Amino acid sequence: MNLDERAIEQALDQAKARFLSDAGEFLLETANRTAPIEEGTLIGSGAVTVFPQADTVVVSYDTPYAVRQHEDTRLRHDPGRRAKWLEHTAREEQATLRRLAADRIGGAL
């Protein structure tokens, strides 16, 4: 691998890491807009963890009731709030996430 190839690979790795972080933060912020809310504890527990070596970003919530709130579609929520808020948001925002990837990765090239 020559110097130019290394520089390109490093630039792409940095762009990929930026994309993963930005995508995770965007998804968390957007999902929080429809997450169930009583006192804000659930939303406050949201976190983004990036694993650049695995090309992975994880958006998670860390409360004892987060999984039940997310999965149980029989629970009632305030207007504009919903079960499966993270899943639905990820699906609804696919086009935005693709544009973000193109911006970050394309910008590195």
Side-chain angles (χ1 to χ4, degrees):
M1 184 179 298
N2 65 36
L3 186 57
D4 288 342
E5 290 171 336
R6 283 192 193 121
I8 291 169
E9 188 174 310
Q10 286 177 338
L12 286 174
D13 285 346
Q14 290 172 353
K16 183 175 51 178
R18 272 194 314 276
F19 162 69
L20 291 171
S21 178
D22 291 349
E25 292 297 336
F26 170 78
L27 186 57
L28 177 62
E29 179 185 324
T30 306
N32 281 345
R33 295 177 194 159
T34 60
I37 189 167
E38 279 292 319
E39 300 169 0
T41 305
L42 176 68
I43 289 171
S45 77
V48 174
T49 308
V50 178
F51 300 94
Q53 293 81 8
D55 296 337
T56 302
V57 61
V58 174
V59 177
S60 61
Y61 293 85
D62 186 24
T63 64
Y65 51 85
V67 172
R68 180 161 186 245
Q69 285 288 326
H70 191 269
E71 297 300 319
D72 192 342
T73 57
R74 296 169 296 164
L75 296 177
R76 293 179 185 252
H77 301 291
D78 292 339
R81 304 297 174 157
R82 61 188 176 180
K84 300 205 177 270
W85 69 93
L86 185 55
E87 181 179 332
H88 291 311
T89 302
R91 190 176 315 112
E92 293 161 358
E93 296 296 337
Q94 282 183 7
T96 302
L97 292 169
R98 283 190 190 103
R99 282 192 303 277
L100 184 60
D103 288 348
R104 297 300 181 270
I105 306 297
L109 298 175

